[in-house]
Amino acid sequence: MGAVMAERRGSTHTKRATYDLRHRIVQGEIPGGTRLYEVALAEEMNISRTPVREAMSRLAEEGLLQRAPGGGFAVRSFTYRDVIDAIELRGVLEGTAARLAAERGADPGKLKEIKEISDEIDSFVWVAESARDFDRYTELNAAFHDALAALCGSEIVQAELRRVKSLPFASPSAFVLGQADGDAAHRAMIIGQTQHRALVEAIEAREGARAEAIAREHARIARENLDPSETGRSARTPCRVSR
Amino acid sequence: MGAVMAERRGSTHTKRATYDLRHRIVQGEIPGGTRLYEVALAEEMNISRTPVREAMSRLAEEGLLQRAPGGGFAVRSFTYRDVIDAIELRGVLEGTAARLAAERGADPGKLKEIKEISDEIDSFVWVAESARDFDRYTELNAAFHDALAALCGSEIVQAELRRVKSLPFASPSAFVLGQADGDAAHRAMIIGQTQHRALVEAIEAREGARAEAIAREHARIARENLDPSETGRSARTPCRVSR
DNA sequence: CGGCGTCAGAATGTATACATCTGGACGTGT
DNA sequence: ACACGTCCAGATGTATACATTCTGACGCCG
């Protein structure tokens, strides 16, 4: 086992295999529907079947793989409609997180946290132009949505939201990629941040219904810029997982 | 391996171990938070560590176990608030399924199916009194909710709903158990079935908002009859998984 | 006395041999 | 030609030995 490792991420073979496999699936290197064979993958990665099995099991938990009827795993395939539905679902769940935070009252510390993130986005988004501002927004946007999920203090809601967001195309940051021109991206950032502010305002004012509606509409931004080449296609068309 | 098997459900050791472990957790035999050790369980069940590992992995997918930081698994513990939240979440997801079915138009075949289930419940629920009617309602109620999840034709929504419903206390059939007297149970059945009919009616009339609202309210029935002894307790109080 | 390295034991991680299952190719009989 | 059974290759299921890692207790040193 003294050979050079292909992947250095993580300390155990299981973690490396998990990362490696996830990466290959998300990049679209392994298309949806593909049956994964333990032996083949193990030989390919120069490890035994055990950590491969373990990795596949974890990816099944994430929803990237599905267990095949007679045992084994296959790469889960997503249709264009699945992508739409996953985004819709994220909107519904974030809407629930926002509504519950408003109804039950958000924890002051967590509320302060999300407002700080929002303020930081405010500090550059209105005049953003560089690619650096772009990356910064992506990062802070993800932080905002994580803070939102935590805001109502429900582990259950937070866990489900984490699951849905783990699908790369349903992630709040997914919209950023694939934007053709910088102008459209800037516009999306401004609209998004406006909604962020309104959302926090509604939660603070205990306006549950408004908070829920805003969160749902906010998720729609991700839908705006789905690959146009896919838009006209059949609902049954498989869709690449990657952005 | 000629010895008598303790559990006959399923054909492989993995399936038996999965079933056995799930049963013990759901029954409250293994309390929440308990760390599970592969060797101990393997010896107890007279099998090797491998199928035990596999079983734990599957139960983690179901959400009954959680992976411990340094490896291994622990029984997920649910507080009283988690139970409330899981029921709320089921209402939200069923509400989404109903709304999407209304907005997008439900498949005629599936619509016919859910109406048949509803009609069958109608045939006895208004005059139900025996324990047999009781069991029949439980069964048909579960079928109704499965049909509802399938109605909008979204695999994504259906999968998430399946996950949430797999938590025993969030299942649509959970309310039936623990009902102190038959009168209260009968009342709950009648109210529930009234909501079933209204729900189908709203979906058929393409009234998305109404369908969503009814589905959410319908889930609240499960909340009505949580163990009264728990009601007053702190949100942090661990809560048995079982009914 | 308190902080910190060290070590033992127990847990999980990994490799591997063997067992079992499954599905399709092939032949045989009708 | 079709139905059925057999068989084999290749897949997953299982047991087990060994490697590694983690944790907590103990004792040394500052």
Side-chain angles (χ1 to χ4, degrees), chain A residues 14-15 50 53-54 56-58 60-61 67 69 71 73 76 78 81-86 88-89 92-93 96 99-100 103-104 152-157 159-160 163-164 167 169 212 216 223 236, chain B residues 14-15 50 53-54 57-58 60-61 67 69 71 73 76 78 81-86 88-89 92-93 96 99-100 103-104 152-157 159-160 163-164 167 169 212 216 220 223 236:
Chain A
T14 297
K15 284 176 183 170
T50 314
R53 224 175 149 75
E54 180 67 21
M56 293 199 294
S57 178
R58 286 172 191 235
E61 265 178 69
R67 289 182 189 274
F73 297 83
R76 189 162 161 200
F78 296 96
R81 241 190 87 173
D82 286 339
V83 175
I84 297 278
D85 290 345
E88 175 82 21
L89 200 56
V92 166
L93 291 174
T96 301
R99 175 172 59 84
L100 291 181
E103 288 173 355
R104 299 175 176 177
C152 70
S154 166
E155 280 297 331
I156 299 273
V157 170
E160 287 307 304
R163 274 185 59 79
V164 173
L167 299 176
F169 46 80
E212 179 166 15
R216 283 198 189 180
R223 196 162 154 173
R236 289 271 159 250
Chain B
T14 297
K15 284 176 183 168
T50 314
R53 226 176 147 75
E54 180 68 20
S57 181
R58 287 172 190 232
E61 265 177 67
R67 289 182 190 274
F73 297 84
R76 187 161 162 201
F78 296 97
R81 242 189 86 173
D82 286 338
V83 174
I84 298 279
D85 290 345
E88 175 83 22
L89 200 55
V92 166
L93 291 173
T96 300
R99 174 171 61 84
L100 292 181
E103 287 173 357
R104 299 175 177 178
C152 69
S154 167
E155 280 295 330
I156 300 272
V157 170
E160 288 306 305
R163 273 184 61 76
V164 173
L167 298 177
F169 47 79
E212 179 167 14
R216 283 196 188 180
R220 283 248 166 175
R223 197 161 153 172
R236 289 269 161 253

Side-chain angles (χ1 to χ4, degrees), chain A residues 1 5 13-14 17 41-49 51-52:
Chain A
M1 207 38 70
M5 288 294 140
H13 287 167
T14 297
L41 287 171
E43 281 171 11
E44 207 172 322
M45 302 184 195
N46 281 300
I47 56 179
S48 75
R49 282 171 53 205
V52 172

Side-chain angles (χ1 to χ4, degrees), chain A residues 23 25-28 138 167-169 171 173-178 227 240-243:
Chain A
H23 184 76
I25 293 168
V26 167
Q27 288 304 317
T138 305
L167 299 176
F169 46 80
S171 152
S173 311
F175 87 95
V176 186
L177 312 114
D227 184 353
R240 256 174 305 116
V241 177
S242 79
R243 38 293 186 69

